[in-house]
Amino acid sequence: MKLRTILAFLCCVCSMQAQEKLMMLVGTYTDSGSKGIYSYYFNQETGETEALNSLTLKNPSYLTISNDGRLVYAVSETNDDKASLNTIRLNPRTGDMQLIATAPVLGGDPCYVSTNGKTVLTANYSGGSMSVFTLNQQGTKPELSTRFLGSVGGPDLTRQDTPHVHCACFTPDRKYVLATDFSADRILSFRINGQKVVANGVAANVSADSGPRHLVFSKEGRFAYLMSELSGKVTVFSYKQGKLKILQEIVSDSIGARGGADIHLSPDGRFLYSSNRLKAEGIAIFSVDSQTGLLTRIGYQPTAAHPRQFNISPNGKYLLCCCRDSDKIQVFRRDMQTGLLSDMHKDIPVSKAVCVQFVK
Protein backbone atom coordinates (compact mmCIF):
# COMPACT_ATOMS: atom_id res chain seq x y z
CA MET A 1 0.00 0.00 0.00
CA LYS A 2 2.83 2.38 0.81
CA LEU A 3 4.43 1.83 -2.62
CA ARG A 4 1.10 2.50 -4.31
CA THR A 5 0.70 5.70 -2.31
CA ILE A 6 4.19 6.87 -3.28
CA LEU A 7 3.59 6.10 -6.95
CA ALA A 8 0.25 7.89 -6.90
CA PHE A 9 1.90 10.92 -5.29
CA LEU A 10 4.66 10.98 -7.92
CA CYS A 11 2.11 10.74 -10.75
CA CYS A 12 0.20 13.64 -9.22
CA VAL A 13 3.39 15.76 -9.00
CA CYS A 14 4.31 14.98 -12.62
CA SER A 15 0.81 15.90 -13.77
CA MET A 16 0.95 19.22 -11.90
CA GLN A 17 4.35 20.02 -13.40
CA ALA A 18 3.06 19.25 -16.89
CA GLN A 19 0.14 21.63 -16.37
CA GLU A 20 2.45 24.36 -15.10
CA LYS A 21 4.94 24.05 -17.97
CA LEU A 22 3.49 24.95 -21.36
CA MET A 23 5.14 25.11 -24.74
CA MET A 24 4.65 28.35 -26.61
CA LEU A 25 5.60 29.52 -30.09
CA VAL A 26 6.54 33.03 -31.20
CA GLY A 27 6.21 34.37 -34.75
CA THR A 28 8.32 37.28 -35.97
CA TYR A 29 9.26 39.56 -38.84
CA THR A 30 12.64 38.52 -40.19
CA ASP A 31 13.95 41.77 -41.69
CA SER A 32 16.04 42.64 -38.61
CA GLY A 33 17.87 39.42 -37.79
CA SER A 34 15.13 37.12 -36.54
CA LYS A 35 15.24 33.54 -37.85
CA GLY A 36 11.48 32.99 -37.96
CA ILE A 37 9.54 30.94 -35.37
CA TYR A 38 10.87 30.30 -31.86
CA SER A 39 9.72 27.69 -29.34
CA TYR A 40 9.85 28.07 -25.55
CA TYR A 41 8.68 26.49 -22.37
CA PHE A 42 6.57 28.88 -20.31
CA ASN A 43 5.85 28.15 -16.67
CA GLN A 44 2.35 29.49 -16.14
CA GLU A 45 2.75 29.38 -12.35
CA THR A 46 5.98 31.40 -12.10
CA GLY A 47 6.12 33.33 -15.39
CA GLU A 48 9.58 31.92 -16.17
CA THR A 49 10.56 31.14 -19.77
CA GLU A 50 13.03 28.62 -21.22
CA ALA A 51 14.20 28.94 -24.86
CA LEU A 52 14.06 25.71 -26.87
CA ASN A 53 14.40 25.80 -30.66
CA SER A 54 13.84 27.85 -33.79
CA LEU A 55 12.78 27.38 -37.40
CA THR A 56 14.05 29.56 -40.23
CA LEU A 57 11.07 30.95 -42.13
CA LYS A 58 10.33 34.26 -43.88
CA ASN A 59 8.06 36.63 -41.90
CA PRO A 60 5.91 34.14 -39.95
CA SER A 61 3.88 37.00 -38.51
CA TYR A 62 0.92 34.90 -37.40
CA LEU A 63 0.49 31.24 -36.58
CA THR A 64 -2.01 28.82 -35.11
CA ILE A 65 -1.60 25.35 -33.62
CA SER A 66 -3.64 22.18 -34.21
CA ASN A 67 -5.71 20.81 -31.34
CA ASP A 68 -3.30 17.91 -30.77
CA GLY A 69 -0.32 20.30 -30.62
CA ARG A 70 1.60 18.51 -33.36
CA LEU A 71 1.01 20.77 -36.38
CA VAL A 72 1.51 24.49 -36.81
CA TYR A 73 0.06 26.61 -39.59
CA ALA A 74 2.01 29.84 -40.14
CA VAL A 75 1.80 32.54 -42.78
CA SER A 76 4.75 34.05 -44.58
CA GLU A 77 3.71 37.69 -44.73
CA THR A 78 5.20 39.07 -47.93
CA ASN A 79 3.68 41.24 -50.62
CA ASP A 80 4.74 39.08 -53.57
CA ASP A 81 4.25 35.60 -55.02
CA LYS A 82 6.04 34.10 -52.01
CA ALA A 83 3.17 35.00 -49.70
CA SER A 84 2.24 31.58 -48.36
CA LEU A 85 0.73 29.24 -45.81
CA ASN A 86 3.30 26.95 -44.18
CA THR A 87 2.62 23.64 -42.47
CA ILE A 88 5.08 22.72 -39.72
CA ARG A 89 5.47 19.56 -37.70
CA LEU A 90 6.05 20.31 -34.02
CA ASN A 91 7.58 18.01 -31.43
CA PRO A 92 5.50 18.96 -28.37
CA ARG A 93 8.20 17.72 -25.99
CA THR A 94 11.35 19.28 -27.45
CA GLY A 95 10.02 22.22 -29.44
CA ASP A 96 11.73 20.99 -32.61
CA MET A 97 9.98 22.21 -35.77
CA GLN A 98 10.10 20.84 -39.30
CA LEU A 99 8.63 22.57 -42.36
CA ILE A 100 6.64 19.95 -44.29
CA ALA A 101 4.52 21.92 -46.78
CA THR A 102 4.20 25.40 -48.29
CA ALA A 103 1.28 26.64 -50.39
CA PRO A 104 0.80 30.08 -52.00
CA VAL A 105 -2.17 32.07 -50.67
CA LEU A 106 -2.50 34.11 -53.89
CA GLY A 107 -2.93 37.30 -51.91
CA GLY A 108 -0.34 39.76 -50.62
CA ASP A 109 0.64 40.03 -46.95
CA PRO A 110 -1.24 37.19 -45.23
CA CYS A 111 -1.44 38.36 -41.61
CA TYR A 112 -3.84 35.94 -39.90
CA VAL A 113 -4.46 32.18 -39.95
CA SER A 114 -7.03 29.94 -38.26
CA THR A 115 -8.17 26.33 -38.53
CA ASN A 116 -11.00 24.04 -37.41
CA GLY A 117 -8.98 20.89 -38.13
CA LYS A 118 -10.52 20.37 -41.56
CA THR A 119 -10.04 23.77 -43.17
CA VAL A 120 -7.43 26.52 -42.86
CA LEU A 121 -8.17 30.20 -43.48
CA THR A 122 -5.73 33.03 -44.14
CA ALA A 123 -6.58 36.73 -44.14
CA ASN A 124 -4.47 38.52 -46.74
CA TYR A 125 -4.18 42.19 -45.87
CA SER A 126 -2.69 43.75 -49.02
CA GLY A 127 -4.37 41.14 -51.19
CA GLY A 128 -7.73 42.17 -49.75
CA SER A 129 -8.84 38.56 -49.64
CA MET A 130 -9.51 35.46 -47.56
CA SER A 131 -7.96 32.21 -48.80
CA VAL A 132 -9.61 28.89 -47.95
CA PHE A 133 -7.53 25.70 -47.79
CA THR A 134 -8.84 22.16 -47.41
CA LEU A 135 -6.81 19.69 -45.34
CA ASN A 136 -6.09 16.02 -45.92
CA GLN A 137 -6.99 13.59 -43.13
CA GLN A 138 -3.60 14.03 -41.47
CA GLY A 139 -3.80 17.82 -41.68
CA THR A 140 -0.42 17.99 -43.40
CA LYS A 141 -1.30 19.10 -46.95
CA PRO A 142 -3.42 22.25 -47.25
CA GLU A 143 -4.79 22.79 -50.76
CA LEU A 144 -6.16 26.17 -51.81
CA SER A 145 -9.81 25.68 -52.75
CA THR A 146 -11.16 29.21 -53.11
CA ARG A 147 -10.64 32.87 -52.32
CA PHE A 148 -13.08 35.58 -51.33
CA LEU A 149 -12.41 39.26 -51.96
CA GLY A 150 -13.01 42.18 -49.66
CA SER A 151 -14.21 45.60 -50.75
CA VAL A 152 -13.84 49.35 -50.18
CA GLY A 153 -16.21 52.07 -49.08
CA GLY A 154 -14.69 53.54 -45.93
CA PRO A 155 -13.95 57.29 -45.76
CA ASP A 156 -10.18 57.10 -45.09
CA LEU A 157 -8.79 57.60 -48.61
CA THR A 158 -5.28 56.71 -47.46
CA ARG A 159 -5.85 53.52 -45.46
CA GLN A 160 -9.16 52.32 -46.90
CA ASP A 161 -8.40 53.05 -50.56
CA THR A 162 -7.90 49.37 -51.45
CA PRO A 163 -9.52 46.20 -50.01
CA HIS A 164 -7.99 44.72 -46.85
CA VAL A 165 -8.99 41.60 -44.92
CA HIS A 166 -7.34 41.38 -41.51
CA CYS A 167 -8.93 38.45 -39.67
CA ALA A 168 -10.86 35.29 -40.59
CA CYS A 169 -12.14 33.04 -37.83
CA PHE A 170 -14.51 30.16 -37.20
CA THR A 171 -17.61 30.79 -35.09
CA PRO A 172 -18.08 28.83 -31.84
CA ASP A 173 -21.04 26.91 -33.29
CA ARG A 174 -18.65 25.63 -36.01
CA LYS A 175 -21.16 26.49 -38.72
CA TYR A 176 -19.80 29.80 -40.01
CA VAL A 177 -16.72 31.89 -40.72
CA LEU A 178 -16.52 35.63 -40.07
CA ALA A 179 -13.95 37.90 -41.74
CA THR A 180 -13.16 41.56 -41.10
CA ASP A 181 -13.57 43.62 -44.27
CA PHE A 182 -11.32 46.47 -43.12
CA SER A 183 -11.79 48.97 -45.94
CA ALA A 184 -15.57 48.54 -46.20
CA ASP A 185 -16.19 48.85 -42.43
CA ARG A 186 -18.07 45.57 -42.22
CA ILE A 187 -17.77 41.93 -41.20
CA LEU A 188 -18.44 39.28 -43.83
CA SER A 189 -20.22 36.00 -43.12
CA PHE A 190 -19.55 32.60 -44.71
CA ARG A 191 -21.33 29.29 -44.21
CA ILE A 192 -19.40 26.05 -43.71
CA ASN A 193 -20.60 23.13 -45.84
CA GLY A 194 -18.31 20.19 -45.14
CA GLN A 195 -14.90 21.45 -46.21
CA LYS A 196 -16.43 24.10 -48.44
CA VAL A 197 -16.90 27.70 -47.37
CA VAL A 198 -19.79 29.55 -49.03
CA ALA A 199 -20.54 33.30 -49.00
CA ASN A 200 -23.35 34.19 -46.60
CA GLY A 201 -23.62 37.96 -46.98
CA VAL A 202 -22.70 40.61 -44.41
CA ALA A 203 -22.65 39.63 -40.74
CA ALA A 204 -22.67 43.28 -39.62
CA ASN A 205 -21.84 46.79 -40.72
CA VAL A 206 -19.86 48.90 -38.25
CA SER A 207 -19.43 52.66 -37.94
CA ALA A 208 -17.75 54.40 -40.87
CA ASP A 209 -13.99 54.92 -40.48
CA SER A 210 -13.69 51.97 -38.06
CA GLY A 211 -11.26 49.71 -39.93
CA PRO A 212 -12.37 46.41 -38.30
CA ARG A 213 -9.33 44.32 -37.43
CA HIS A 214 -9.58 41.41 -34.94
CA LEU A 215 -12.60 39.52 -33.63
CA VAL A 216 -13.09 37.19 -30.63
CA PHE A 217 -16.06 35.30 -29.19
CA SER A 218 -17.23 34.67 -25.65
CA LYS A 219 -16.77 31.06 -24.56
CA GLU A 220 -20.46 30.17 -24.74
CA GLY A 221 -20.72 31.88 -28.16
CA ARG A 222 -23.45 34.41 -27.33
CA PHE A 223 -21.28 37.49 -27.81
CA ALA A 224 -18.52 38.68 -30.13
CA TYR A 225 -16.03 41.51 -29.62
CA LEU A 226 -14.35 43.48 -32.40
CA MET A 227 -11.22 45.63 -32.17
CA SER A 228 -11.18 48.32 -34.87
CA GLU A 229 -7.84 49.75 -35.94
CA LEU A 230 -8.80 53.22 -37.18
CA SER A 231 -11.50 54.23 -34.69
CA GLY A 232 -9.72 52.53 -31.79
CA LYS A 233 -13.06 51.26 -30.50
CA VAL A 234 -14.25 47.87 -29.28
CA THR A 235 -17.65 46.86 -30.61
CA VAL A 236 -19.79 44.37 -28.68
CA PHE A 237 -22.18 42.16 -30.66
CA SER A 238 -24.71 39.50 -29.96
CA TYR A 239 -24.13 36.50 -32.24
CA LYS A 240 -26.62 34.13 -33.85
CA GLN A 241 -26.41 31.92 -36.95
CA GLY A 242 -23.63 33.73 -38.76
CA LYS A 243 -24.97 37.23 -38.06
CA LEU A 244 -24.02 39.94 -35.57
CA LYS A 245 -26.08 42.65 -33.87
CA ILE A 246 -24.34 45.68 -32.37
CA LEU A 247 -24.90 46.13 -28.63
CA GLN A 248 -22.20 48.64 -27.68
CA GLU A 249 -19.21 50.66 -28.88
CA ILE A 250 -16.61 51.66 -26.32
CA VAL A 251 -13.26 53.44 -26.67
CA SER A 252 -10.02 51.50 -26.36
CA ASP A 253 -7.70 54.08 -27.97
CA SER A 254 -8.71 57.29 -26.20
CA ILE A 255 -6.33 59.66 -28.05
CA GLY A 256 -7.12 58.78 -31.67
CA ALA A 257 -3.81 57.18 -32.61
CA ARG A 258 -5.56 55.01 -35.23
CA GLY A 259 -3.50 51.98 -34.27
CA GLY A 260 -5.89 49.54 -32.59
CA ALA A 261 -4.50 46.01 -32.76
CA ASP A 262 -5.40 42.84 -30.86
CA ILE A 263 -8.22 41.72 -28.57
CA HIS A 264 -8.69 38.81 -26.11
CA LEU A 265 -10.97 37.68 -23.31
CA SER A 266 -9.64 36.22 -20.08
CA PRO A 267 -10.20 32.43 -19.81
CA ASP A 268 -12.99 32.96 -17.27
CA GLY A 269 -14.67 35.53 -19.55
CA ARG A 270 -14.80 38.21 -16.84
CA PHE A 271 -12.36 40.65 -18.48
CA LEU A 272 -11.48 41.83 -21.97
CA TYR A 273 -8.18 43.33 -23.17
CA SER A 274 -7.37 45.31 -26.32
CA SER A 275 -4.01 46.66 -27.49
CA ASN A 276 -3.31 50.12 -28.93
CA ARG A 277 -0.28 51.25 -30.93
CA LEU A 278 1.38 54.39 -32.36
CA LYS A 279 0.66 56.75 -29.43
CA ALA A 280 0.21 56.12 -25.69
CA GLU A 281 0.85 52.47 -26.47
CA GLY A 282 -0.68 49.96 -24.12
CA ILE A 283 -3.55 47.62 -23.29
CA ALA A 284 -7.04 48.79 -22.36
CA ILE A 285 -8.78 46.68 -19.70
CA PHE A 286 -12.52 46.13 -19.49
CA SER A 287 -14.81 44.19 -17.18
CA VAL A 288 -17.50 42.08 -18.87
CA ASP A 289 -21.11 41.79 -17.75
CA SER A 290 -21.76 38.05 -17.97
CA GLN A 291 -25.48 38.53 -18.63
CA THR A 292 -25.45 41.30 -21.22
CA GLY A 293 -21.91 40.99 -22.61
CA LEU A 294 -21.45 44.76 -22.19
CA LEU A 295 -18.11 46.29 -21.22
CA THR A 296 -16.94 48.78 -18.61
CA ARG A 297 -13.46 50.25 -18.95
CA ILE A 298 -11.55 49.73 -15.70
CA GLY A 299 -7.88 50.35 -16.49
CA TYR A 300 -5.03 50.91 -18.92
CA GLN A 301 -1.62 49.22 -18.86
CA PRO A 302 1.24 50.98 -20.71
CA THR A 303 3.52 48.70 -22.72
CA ALA A 304 6.73 48.91 -24.70
CA ALA A 305 6.65 49.97 -28.37
CA HIS A 306 4.05 48.61 -30.79
CA PRO A 307 2.00 46.00 -28.88
CA ARG A 308 0.83 44.25 -32.06
CA GLN A 309 -0.46 40.98 -30.58
CA PHE A 310 -0.77 39.44 -27.13
CA ASN A 311 -2.08 36.30 -25.49
CA ILE A 312 -3.20 35.11 -22.06
CA SER A 313 -1.90 31.92 -20.45
CA PRO A 314 -4.56 29.17 -20.25
CA ASN A 315 -4.71 29.42 -16.45
CA GLY A 316 -5.30 33.18 -16.74
CA LYS A 317 -2.38 34.23 -14.54
CA TYR A 318 -0.24 35.93 -17.19
CA LEU A 319 -0.62 38.15 -20.24
CA LEU A 320 2.25 38.07 -22.73
CA CYS A 321 2.49 41.05 -25.10
CA CYS A 322 4.53 41.08 -28.32
CA CYS A 323 6.09 44.54 -28.48
CA ARG A 324 7.40 44.48 -32.04
CA ASP A 325 9.45 47.67 -32.09
CA SER A 326 11.03 47.04 -28.67
CA ASP A 327 12.17 43.55 -29.79
CA LYS A 328 10.67 41.78 -26.81
CA ILE A 329 7.69 40.08 -25.25
CA GLN A 330 6.57 41.66 -22.01
CA VAL A 331 5.25 39.35 -19.29
CA PHE A 332 2.43 40.81 -17.18
CA ARG A 333 0.83 39.20 -14.16
CA ARG A 334 -2.98 39.30 -14.19
CA ASP A 335 -4.86 39.96 -11.00
CA MET A 336 -7.54 37.29 -11.29
CA GLN A 337 -10.01 39.29 -9.20
CA THR A 338 -9.59 42.82 -10.58
CA GLY A 339 -8.33 42.01 -14.09
CA LEU A 340 -5.53 44.57 -13.77
CA LEU A 341 -1.98 43.93 -15.02
CA SER A 342 1.45 44.37 -13.46
CA ASP A 343 4.78 44.15 -15.29
CA MET A 344 6.83 41.18 -14.05
CA HIS A 345 10.03 42.62 -15.59
CA LYS A 346 10.72 39.19 -17.07
CA ASP A 347 10.93 40.34 -20.69
CA ILE A 348 11.62 37.72 -23.35
CA PRO A 349 14.06 39.17 -25.92
CA VAL A 350 12.84 38.43 -29.47
CA SER A 351 13.65 40.51 -32.54
CA LYS A 352 10.43 41.84 -34.12
CA ALA A 353 8.12 39.64 -32.06
CA VAL A 354 4.58 39.83 -33.44
CA CYS A 355 2.65 36.70 -32.38
CA VAL A 356 2.68 34.37 -29.36
CA GLN A 357 0.57 31.19 -29.13
CA PHE A 358 0.38 28.54 -26.43
CA VAL A 359 0.34 24.82 -27.12
CA LYS A 360 -2.54 23.79 -24.87
Side-chain angles (χ1 to χ4, degrees), residues 313-330:
S313 62
N315 67 357
K317 289 188 175 182
Y318 294 95
L319 185 151
L320 277 65
C321 183
C322 292
C323 299
R324 187 194 70 183
D325 293 350
S326 292
D327 296 321
K328 65 183 180 181
I329 298 174
Q330 284 184 290

Side-chain angles (χ1 to χ4, degrees), residues 293-305:
L294 300 182
L295 304 177
T296 301
R297 182 162 164 152
I298 59 172
Y300 196 83
Q301 175 62 52
T303 66

Side-chain angles (χ1 to χ4, degrees), residues 301-315:
Q301 175 62 52
T303 66
H306 208 95
R308 181 181 170 96
Q309 189 261 5
F310 63 92
N311 217 329
I312 299 172
S313 62
N315 67 357

Side-chain angles (χ1 to χ4, degrees), residues 43 94 100 171 189 192 218 225 245 277 294 343 352 358:
N43 189 312
T94 66
I100 58 176
T171 58
S189 176
I192 298 173
S218 60
Y225 300 87
K245 180 181 178 181
R277 305 164 296 167
L294 300 182
D343 191 349
K352 298 298 181 184
F358 293 101

Side-chain angles (χ1 to χ4, degrees), residues 4 52 61 64 72-73 81 124 130 211 213 224 259 261 268 283 285 324 326 332 351:
R4 288 183 180 179
L52 295 174
S61 64
T64 192
V72 180
Y73 303 101
D81 59 4
N124 313 313
M130 178 181 77
R213 183 179 169 99
D268 61 10
I283 296 174
I285 306 167
R324 187 194 70 183
S326 292
F332 295 95
S351 177

Side-chain angles (χ1 to χ4, degrees), residues 73 85-87 101-103 120 133-136 139-144:
Y73 303 101
L85 170 67
N86 303 284
T87 306
T102 295
V120 177
F133 295 82
T134 58
L135 290 172
N136 62 347
T140 55
K141 293 182 179 179
E143 292 189 7
L144 181 62

